[in-house]
């Protein structure tokens, strides 16, 4: 038995609950629901299944998850805003179970969305999976960013520089930072037992960001659409494990409804 098996066991449980929460909320994502209602449903689901929502009161954040709509890159605050036809939405949940964290996000499409929104969402998901599929001991953190950047930029999209993935285990955010752009063979070398998130934020326009006056909501400076997917992963002796895969097999929208 390796010395990180207990950590991985606990992260599987937390990651599974976070993924199940996103599975649960999928059928509710329709025009007319408020992002506050999404927040309430997810909070109750995590609570009723033995977890706690990590974002709630984290550094003063007053909601239990982030809802990032359209040109919001990340850290959107749930509100009375109702979802509308053609919106795209990222829901980012983090569950704590037995002191360990599972952090994941997915994009959702509200009704029929534009072709450009579909293309952006598809490229963002593909970039996440491309970054994950190379994971194994010995590769460098910069290799992950290189894979993501080299997939989305030829399609005309840009990689957000101001936010990144992060180490996670029994702490919400810990080293290392996981950049979603970079050069091959740079940065720290991956070791068995490491656990972190990969969560590329990809913009339809330029990569520059702006944080609104609420101190949280990050938006694209040029008001272009933004998309994000996130998994929590662990490095094994010869590869990787994804702790936050959908139990229902959901990957990218449109999900089976």
């Amino acid at each position: 038995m390796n010395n990180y098996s207990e950590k991985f066991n606990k992260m599987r449980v937390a990651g599974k609950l976070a993924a199940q929460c996103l599975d649960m909320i999928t059928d509710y994502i329709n025009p007319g629901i408020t992002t506050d209602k999404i927040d309430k449903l997810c909070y109750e689901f995590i609570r009723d299944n033995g977890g706690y929502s990590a974002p709630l009161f984290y550094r003063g954040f007053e909601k239990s998850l982030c809802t990032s709509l359209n040109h919001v890159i990340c850290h959107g605050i749930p509100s009375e805003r109702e979802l509308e036809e053609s919106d795209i939405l990222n829901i980012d949940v983090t569950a704590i179970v037995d002191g360990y964290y599972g952090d994941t996000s997915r994009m959702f499409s509200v009704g029929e969305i534009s072709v450009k929104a579909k293309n952006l969402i598809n490229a963002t998901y593909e970039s996440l999976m491309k970054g994950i599929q190379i994971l194994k001991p010995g590769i460098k953190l910069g290799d992950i960013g290189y894979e993501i950047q080299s997939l989305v930029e030829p399609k005309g999209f840009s990689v957000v520089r101001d936010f990144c993935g992060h180490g996670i285990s029994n702490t919400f955010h810990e080293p290392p930072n996981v950049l979603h752009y970079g050069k091959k063979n740079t940065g720290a070398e991956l070791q068995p037992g490491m656990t972190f998130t990969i969560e590329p934020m990809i913009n339809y326009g330029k990569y520059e960001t702006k944080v609104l006056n609420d101190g949280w909501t990050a938006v694209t400076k040029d008001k272009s659409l933004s998309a994000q997917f996130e998994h929590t992963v662990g490095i094994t002796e010869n590869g990787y494990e994804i702790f936050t895969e959908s139990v229902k097999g959901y990957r990218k929208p449109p999900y089976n409804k």
Side-chain angles (χ1 to χ4, degrees), residues 10-84:
K10 291 189 172 186
M11 293 194 69
R12 282 183 199 111
V13 174
K16 182 179 180 182
L17 179 55
Q20 286 175 312
C21 180
L22 291 180
D23 286 352
M24 176 278 298
I25 203 64
T26 300
D27 288 340
Y28 292 91
I29 306 303
N30 294 300
I33 192 172
T34 66
T35 50
D36 253 344
K37 178 69 172 174
I38 293 167
D39 178 75
K40 183 172 185 286
L41 288 167
C42 289
Y43 169 79
E44 290 171 350
F45 181 87
I46 289 173
R47 178 198 65 194
D48 293 348
N49 286 278
Y52 183 78
S53 296
L56 189 57
F57 307 128
Y58 178 77
R59 296 182 179 170
F61 195 77
E62 293 185 350
K63 301 292 180 176
S64 60
L65 50 72
C66 297
T67 49
S68 300
L69 270 162
N70 299 326
H71 72 290
V72 178
I73 296 167
C74 60
H75 304 155
I77 303 172
S79 70
E80 288 304 305
R81 160 71 150 86
E82 292 184 357
L83 299 188
E84 298 172 2

Side-chain angles (χ1 to χ4, degrees), residues 73-74 145 148-150 152-153 157-165 177-183 199-203 205-209 226:
I73 296 167
C74 60
I148 292 166
Q149 188 176 11
S150 63
V152 301
E153 286 185 349
F157 306 129
S158 63
V159 181
V160 171
R161 300 325 200 235
D162 295 338
F163 302 94
C164 61
N177 286 339
V178 182
L179 304 182
H180 302 117
Y181 62 96
K183 293 188 170 68
E199 47 184 298
M201 288 148 267
I202 308 300
N203 295 348
K206 296 179 178 175
Y207 64 73
E208 285 84 4
T209 70
S226 187

Side-chain angles (χ1 to χ4, degrees), residues 20 62 94 102 113 141 158 173 218 227 234 248-249:
Q20 286 175 312
E62 293 185 350
T94 307
I113 63 171
L141 280 173
S158 63
H173 296 94
K248 291 188 174 180

Side-chain angles (χ1 to χ4, degrees), residues 32-34 46 59 72 87 97 122 152 182 190 212-213 242 245 250:
I33 192 172
T34 66
I46 289 173
R59 296 182 179 170
V72 178
D87 279 340
V97 184
N122 288 341
V152 301
L190 301 191
L212 301 186
N213 291 337
I242 302 174
E245 281 194 294
Y250 295 160

